[in-house]
């Protein structure tokens, strides 16, 4: 899955992850190293949904 995420990032997809979730699963440092923007997502996700932006979750 890491290679697929790297390819998405290389293709211009903005990949973000919830810091609380990443820490809970013990993967925050790993996904940061491959280029994922890890941050607390409560407010950003709410804004994306209110702005009718397209969101894909994994």
């Amino acid at each position: 899955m890491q290679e697929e995420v790297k390819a998405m990032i290389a293709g211009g997809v903005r990949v973000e992850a919830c810091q609380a979730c990443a820490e809970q699963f013990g993967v925050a440092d790993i996904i940061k190293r491959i280029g994922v923007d890890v941050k607390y997502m409560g407010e950003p996700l709410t804004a994306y949904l209110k702005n009718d932006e397209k969101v894909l979750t994994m």
Side-chain angles (χ1 to χ4, degrees):
M1 184 175 235
Q2 289 182 28
E3 294 305 316
E4 292 166 339
V5 171
K6 287 179 190 177
M8 289 175 16
I9 293 168
V13 175
R14 181 176 61 198
V15 180
E16 300 172 322
C18 173
Q19 183 159 347
C21 298
E23 288 174 357
Q24 183 176 5
F25 288 105
V27 298
D29 291 335
I30 295 167
I31 61 177
K32 283 180 187 177
R33 281 195 298 267
I34 65 170
V36 175
D37 183 11
V38 180
K39 59 186 174 185
Y40 292 104
M41 291 300 298
E43 289 182 19
L45 182 57
T46 298
Y48 298 153
L49 297 174
K50 283 184 176 181
N51 291 328
D52 200 31
E53 294 185 42
K54 304 303 178 221
V55 177
L56 173 68
T57 61
M58 297 174 30

